[in-house]
Amino acid sequence: MAITLVNPDGLPKIDVYRQVSIASGSKLVFIAGQVAWDAAGVTVGAGDLAAQVERCYLNIGTALAGAGGSFDDVAKLTVHVVDWTPDKMPLLLEGISRAAAKLGVTPVPPATLLGVAALDVPEHLVEIEAVAVLD
């Protein structure tokens, strides 16, 4: 495995992600921001943030597999949520939890959460991009 995730002393311990990702692999994989589209380009979970987060994670899992990797290889996630407010956190975590159960992983790489005004189409509530490192 090319990624080691750590929470160094002196930084807060956050349950849903680690503060630092140490990459030792040689192949970088940059995954475009994934939205809640199925393989046919149809939006999944219109109006449902948890369902859309789940679909984004599943799409990232598919992209990683296509590159020969898995969530164990993710060095960094960036999450963009339309009209973010802290009260949306339970829905975000629910979507991550559902996707993690389906993927059989515990996705806790370093992550940045950004609130945005809008995404590519009005029905998309979240977009998640990933950077992975493979051996």
Side-chain angles (χ1 to χ4, degrees):
M1 189 168 17
I3 300 294
T4 302
L5 303 175
V6 296
N7 274 326
D9 290 338
L11 294 177
K13 308 285 189 265
I14 309 295
D15 289 338
V16 296
Y17 67 90
R18 301 299 175 261
Q19 295 284 2
V20 176
S21 174
I22 302 166
S24 61
S26 59
K27 182 178 177 183
L28 296 176
V29 180
F30 298 90
I31 298 173
Q34 295 299 302
V35 294
W37 276 332
D38 64 12
V42 176
T43 298
V44 174
D48 183 342
L49 180 59
Q52 289 199 18
V53 169
E54 177 183 2
R55 186 63 200 206
C56 290
Y57 270 75
L58 295 176
N59 287 350
I60 290 169
T62 299
L64 288 164
S70 72
F71 260 95
D72 289 336
D73 301 306
V74 174
K76 174 79 168 64
L77 293 172
T78 303
V79 181
H80 304 85
V81 181
V82 174
D83 297 325
W84 174 258
T85 55
D87 63 309
K88 293 181 180 179
M89 184 61 80
L91 294 172
L92 179 77
L93 296 176
E94 178 186 335
I96 293 169
S97 179
R98 292 186 339 210
K102 287 182 179 177
L103 294 166
V105 299
T106 303
V108 293
T112 299
L113 173 62
L114 302 168
V116 297
L119 292 170
D120 59 334
V121 295
E123 55 270 1
H124 289 160
L125 304 175
V126 62
E127 181 171 336
I128 305 173
E129 59 186 69
V131 176
V133 181
L134 306 178
D135 285 323

